[in-house]
Amino acid sequence: MLLPTRPCGPLLAAVLPCLASPLAAQSTDPGNSEPEPAGPTIVVTGALESRSLQSLDTPGLGLAVDADQIAAVNAINTEDVIRYAPGLVVRKRYIGDANATLSLRNMHTTQTPRALVSVDGFVIANFLGASFDTAPKWGVLAPGDIARAEIVYGPSSARYSGHALGGVLRLETEPVSRTAVSLGAQSFFQSYRYYETDEDLFGYALDARADLALGSGGISFAWRHFENEGQPQQWRTVAPGTPYAAQATIDDALGFPLRIAAQDSVVDAREDQFRLRANQELGGDWELRALAALLLDRDGTSEPKSFLTDGDGQPTFVGIAGVTLGRSRSAELLAGLGLKGHLGDWSLDLAVSRFETLDDRSRQSDPADLATGLIPQGGIVTDENARWTTIELTVERAIGPHRLALGASYAGYAGRSRTAPVSDWRTAAPGPVRNASGGKSELIGLFVEDAISLTPALEATLGLRYERWRAADGFLQNAGARVDYRGRTDAAWSPKVALAWRVSDTSELSASLAWATRFPTIGELYQASLIAYGPNVGEIDLGGFDPDLAPERGFDMQVTARQRLGTIDLTLSGYRQNVRDTLFGQTILVAGPGEVPVSQSLITNIGAVETWGVDFIVAAEDVVIEGLSFDGNISWIDARIEGNPLNPALEGNRFPRVPEWRANASLRYAVSDAFELAASVRHQSTPERNLENSASSRCDTFFCVSSFAFVDLKASVDFGPFALDLGVDNLLGERAFVFHPYPGRTFVAGLRWTGGRP
């Protein structure tokens, strides 16, 4: 419920004397039969009632993205729904990008094991590595399935594993409660221009969903077909002095000339989703939920284009390095089953899920011959196998002034990758293995957390988590050479402490301390690099990585002030996080032939990375006029390397891909019950591209990680059973890069029909 407006408390008034916004209190879920805690209700969100966390399971900063906010987004893929949330970015290179990684606050875009992502309690985060290709499995849902998204920043709660070092994203679907059928179509278009690239790119999605009410529950069947042409992801350069190099476009933005001579192929992305969701009340206050999703993906990059022409005026790849052709296919399955209810005075929630790669094969040609410009028939085939099983059990009850929670969890991950040469990259069966790697990991966790009402206005939360980690069956293979690695085990205790003070009915201060340990993934432990010197250059270096990497150990502090004035909410949150033994790739000097130092790039432990940050979040409804809503946030982040024994010269540098500023704003106007307009902007400043913070690190062109300011518009109209959406993303055609280019101006149109009965 919304709290009545009262004057600010004296302490909060001193902290926020001139701010005209407040914060909503934790809302009470009317369907929750659990006893009310004796202590104060902790404010945990920077938005209004519907944007508050529905379950109070964190003493730190958290917020929700509700249905109204989601409706204002031109959502084509699932990850789009959190586009304007504070302090985060999704590295989505093009529409349909399977490698759309999530970064919260101070995370590099490859530090994927620091973000715990789930759907209805079922884990979709990929903890098999730390790379661009270990993004969450967003494709288990379509955007229209999502009712709300809840975000918790930092490792403030003992309920979550060390993979919550950056934060937690919980996607939630709407329970099936009525019989209905819906059919939808969506189309999108962008005209992409850069260098000599000139592409008109189209895409569309078709989906159908049937919901069937079954007594006190229901089941939903859904299918979605998606196709899109993504803009070329890289441009290729030509070496000076080659026959046609003089025709290249010169880009000097990096401080040295890039001779742009060709573009990679447009990305032909296709996906079919088959989804099943179910929820059923079993009687006696027990409820069952289920989710199953089959994903079929096909990608193709078979039409690279050269900007150079030969003597006959024909395009040529002579002298252009790295031009290849490729295609891939995958089939993935996720299944989850959940049960919640009461055993006496205890409430219980159990979630079990399994992800399995049924098929994952990519084919790629060898690079074009520099002398002839011809792309060879030969190439490589890579087969990937991945699977994980997760189990989460939590029990809770209120005992006097205590709200006690106990829990146990299990996560088992296994992965294997195999690459082999083929005589014909399109169709031939793979030959003897060229290289392979793989391994397994397990993480078992136990936790206890107690929220204690010390006074009607003061609540303390004490938590402790124990985790035991095991890595096994790690191996690397290079042709006939194979190395198997011994298993490893480790354990860690992670305490959490928080204090929340309700200064008044509309004001609150809270502070939290949290320790967290994030153990290495398979990909970090068993990820080979290439030999950089001697007669075996380019082959896998079986000793070029560290299977004994230490875990990351983080210490996180957060202080948050919250205030509400009428229909305006505000949150001001400051934090400091220090992570010892940060896992990240860096270039170091190692002994080469004859003990001559040579450069080697590999994943290492960086001594310490320290971050200071501030998040300022405002939400308002009925601003100036009825029906006008606003959400805005701005984040300042200063992440720096404080210790690095392997390369002390990097100490003091900013951590890469973490911008100093992020900001988002969304203005929505409900003209009527059937007509809504939205205008939004998302911005980040230019981050450093590399650990060295070199002169070429900060720029606004291809190869860089640039700033951006994207302006998005959307209009929605309902007429009877039909809903029409029209929108445009990146209205101003901003050119921005995350090494790869982000999409240009993109027009989106969608039409949906829904028919049903209660």
Side-chain angles (χ1 to χ4, degrees):
M1 62 181 178
L2 299 182
L3 295 176
T5 301
R6 288 176 50 181
C8 299
L11 179 57
L12 188 56
V15 176
L16 306 171
C18 59
L19 298 175
S21 325
L23 200 76
Q26 168 70 30
S27 65
T28 302
D29 184 351
N32 187 353
S33 60
E34 298 177 26
E36 290 288 333
T41 301
I42 301 178
V43 180
V44 292
T45 176
L48 300 183
E49 183 183 40
S50 62
R51 286 158 239 168
S52 61
L53 298 182
Q54 296 301 305
S55 53
L56 184 59
D57 59 6
T58 174
L61 178 66
L63 58 85
V65 179
D66 68 8
D68 289 341
Q69 293 168 299
I70 293 173
V73 180
N74 293 310
I76 301 172
N77 302 122
T78 301
E79 62 272 20
D80 295 332
V81 303
I82 58 170
R83 177 181 292 171
Y84 309 117
L88 63 79
V89 68
V90 176
R91 174 192 167 270
K92 179 181 176 180
R93 300 168 299 166
Y94 58 90
I95 297 171
D97 185 5
N99 295 333
T101 59
L102 170 65
S103 299
L104 295 154
R105 283 183 165 173
N106 60 345
M107 291 169 53
H108 187 281
T109 50
T110 61
Q111 291 178 304
T112 52
R114 289 191 184 183
L116 181 59
V117 185
S118 65
V119 174
D120 292 340
F122 309 125
V123 175
I124 65 169
N126 184 348
F127 296 145
L128 283 167
S131 181
F132 299 118
D133 59 0
T134 52
K137 297 298 180 180
W138 305 110
V140 301
L141 294 179
D145 294 336
I146 302 170
R148 59 189 283 113
E150 297 195 338
I151 303 166
V152 175
Y153 295 91
S156 55
S157 175
R159 299 167 185 253
Y160 303 114
S161 74
H163 288 296
L165 186 59
V168 177
L169 170 63
R170 303 183 303 212
L171 300 175
E172 298 180 358
T173 63
E174 190 72 31
V176 181
S177 59
R178 71 186 189 110
T179 297
V181 174
S182 67
L183 302 173
Q186 192 177 44
S187 63
F188 18 95
F189 164 77
Q190 71 158 315
S191 182
Y192 195 85
R193 310 282 188 270
Y194 200 70
Y195 296 131
E196 301 301 317
T197 298
D198 186 350
E199 300 283 354
D200 291 329
L201 305 170
F202 298 86
Y204 72 92
L206 302 173
D207 68 273
R209 192 172 97 186
D211 295 346
L212 179 63
L214 298 173
S216 56
I219 188 168
S220 174
F221 301 93
W223 164 82
R224 188 177 195 241
H225 177 76
F226 166 89
E227 294 190 22
N228 182 57
E229 298 172 319
Q231 73 276 9
Q233 291 300 290
Q234 282 190 237
W235 288 273
R236 301 295 171 174
T237 59
V238 63
T242 53
Y244 313 109
Q247 302 175 34
T249 299
I250 306 299
D251 185 344
D252 290 315
L254 284 165
F256 57 88
L258 285 177
R259 294 176 172 85
I260 305 298
Q263 68 177 48
D264 277 4
S265 173
V266 165
V267 182
D268 182 11
R270 302 183 182 188
E271 181 179 78
D272 282 286
Q273 299 174 333
F274 300 88
R275 312 184 306 280
L276 180 148
R277 293 188 297 113
N279 54 273
Q280 184 65 49
E281 293 184 12
L282 304 177
D285 200 29
W286 286 91
E287 182 179 347
L288 187 71
R289 67 185 185 276
L291 173 69
L294 174 64
L295 315 175
L296 305 176
D297 281 300
R298 286 88 61 204
D299 287 347
T301 51
S302 57
E303 296 183 356
K305 293 182 180 180
S306 175
F307 306 144
L308 311 184
T309 56
D310 59 19
D312 296 327
Q314 298 300 311
T316 179
F317 292 113
V318 169
I320 304 175
V323 177
T324 61
L325 308 177
R327 68 184 184 202
S328 64
R329 71 168 192 262
S330 67
E332 301 171 335
L333 179 66
L334 175 76
L337 193 65
L339 179 68
K340 66 179 181 179
H342 285 80
L343 290 173
D345 293 331
W346 291 90
S347 64
L348 176 148
D349 195 322
L350 173 66
V352 180
S353 64
R354 171 78 171 187
F355 174 87
E356 186 90 32
T357 298
L358 306 177
D359 176 45
D360 190 337
R361 169 168 285 188
S362 61
R363 293 177 172 270
Q364 181 178 296
S365 73
D366 290 330
D369 186 275
L370 295 179
T372 66
L374 299 178
I375 298 177
Q377 284 290 103
I380 57 172
V381 169
T382 300
D383 291 302
E384 303 278 355
N385 181 270
R387 63 185 184 276
W388 62 76
T389 301
T390 62
I391 303 172
E392 298 277 350
L393 172 65
T394 302
V395 293
E396 300 181 67
R397 68 168 296 180
I399 306 175
H402 300 267
R403 191 164 53 83
L404 186 65
L406 306 171
S409 64
Y410 167 83
Y413 284 77
R416 181 187 180 98
S417 176
R418 178 185 185 275
T419 298
V422 289
S423 57
D424 185 338
W425 74 270
R426 293 179 178 84
T427 59
V433 64
R434 174 183 291 182
N435 56 72
S437 63
K440 298 178 181 178
S441 68
E442 293 182 341
L443 187 65
I444 297 173
L446 301 171
F447 83 87
V448 58
E449 192 169 78
D450 189 10
I452 310 167
S453 294
L454 304 176
T455 72
L458 192 65
E459 182 171 271
T461 302
L462 307 177
L464 182 64
R465 185 174 185 88
Y466 170 79
E467 290 182 313
R468 182 169 182 81
W469 169 81
R470 176 175 177 265
D473 299 338
F475 77 95
L476 278 174
Q477 182 177 350
N478 181 26
R482 175 173 169 135
V483 178
D484 291 277
Y485 297 93
R486 61 177 177 82
R488 290 178 55 193
T489 59
D490 202 349
W493 294 90
S494 300
K496 325 278 183 175
V497 181
L499 190 66
W501 175 30
R502 175 72 64 77
V503 181
S504 72
D505 286 347
T506 57
S507 311
E508 186 186 76
L509 291 173
S510 64
S512 66
L513 304 177
W515 288 258
T517 300
R518 202 276 287 178
F519 294 100
T521 63
I522 296 168
E524 290 167 314
L525 290 173
Y526 313 120
Q527 180 177 349
S529 56
L530 300 182
I531 295 174
Y533 53 85
N536 300 317
V537 169
E539 295 183 6
I540 289 181
D541 183 358
L542 296 176
F545 67 104
D546 184 2
D548 296 314
L549 289 169
E552 299 182 316
R553 302 183 186 275
F555 173 57
D556 187 272
M557 299 187 297
Q558 297 188 50
V559 178
T560 302
R562 308 168 173 101
Q563 175 64 48
R564 176 165 187 161
L565 298 173
T567 60
I568 307 174
D569 288 358
L570 175 145
T571 299
L572 182 62
S573 182
Y575 63 94
R576 180 241 184 199
Q577 185 178 84
N578 185 279
V579 182
R580 292 184 290 114
D581 292 324
T582 294
L583 290 163
F584 195 74
Q586 66 174 317
T587 300
I588 62 174
L589 292 177
V590 298
E595 299 302 315
V596 177
V598 295
S599 294
Q600 184 86 337
S601 296
L602 66 160
I603 292 178
T604 68
N605 287 115
I606 295 176
V609 175
E610 185 174 69
T611 303
W612 292 86
V614 177
D615 294 309
F616 174 58
I617 308 165
V618 181
E621 293 183 349
D622 297 329
V623 182
V624 183
I625 59 174
E626 185 177 356
L628 187 63
S629 301
F630 173 78
D631 284 286
N633 54 78
I634 185 168
S635 300
W636 172 78
I637 313 165
D638 183 33
R640 296 185 182 271
I641 300 169
E642 294 299 317
N644 189 26
L646 293 175
N647 189 353
L650 300 182
E651 294 177 4
N653 285 3
R654 295 187 66 92
F655 201 71
R657 297 210 181 185
V658 180
E660 185 176 9
W661 296 98
R662 286 194 180 110
N664 302 279
S666 180
L667 191 66
R668 304 179 302 280
Y669 180 45
V671 181
S672 68
D673 291 341
F675 183 29
E676 296 185 358
L677 300 172
S680 306
V681 62
R682 43 201 163 110
H683 165 74
Q684 78 168 25
S685 62
T686 303
E688 298 291 346
R689 182 175 58 84
N690 52 33
L691 289 170
E692 292 75 20
N693 292 186
S694 57
S696 62
S697 179
R698 298 170 67 89
C699 58
D700 292 304
T701 189
F702 164 61
F703 198 81
C704 301
V705 183
S706 68
S707 64
F708 60 73
F710 297 140
V711 177
D712 308 326
L713 303 178
K714 184 177 181 181
S716 301
V717 183
D718 292 342
F719 45 99
F722 292 94
L724 174 66
D725 295 329
L726 298 173
V728 57
D729 285 340
N730 192 5
L731 173 69
L732 304 180
E734 176 93 356
R735 288 174 175 172
F737 302 88
V738 55
F739 181 94
H740 310 282
Y742 282 114
R745 183 184 298 110
T746 303
F747 297 92
V748 184
L751 180 65
R752 174 168 295 278
W753 170 85
T754 302
R757 57 181 175 81

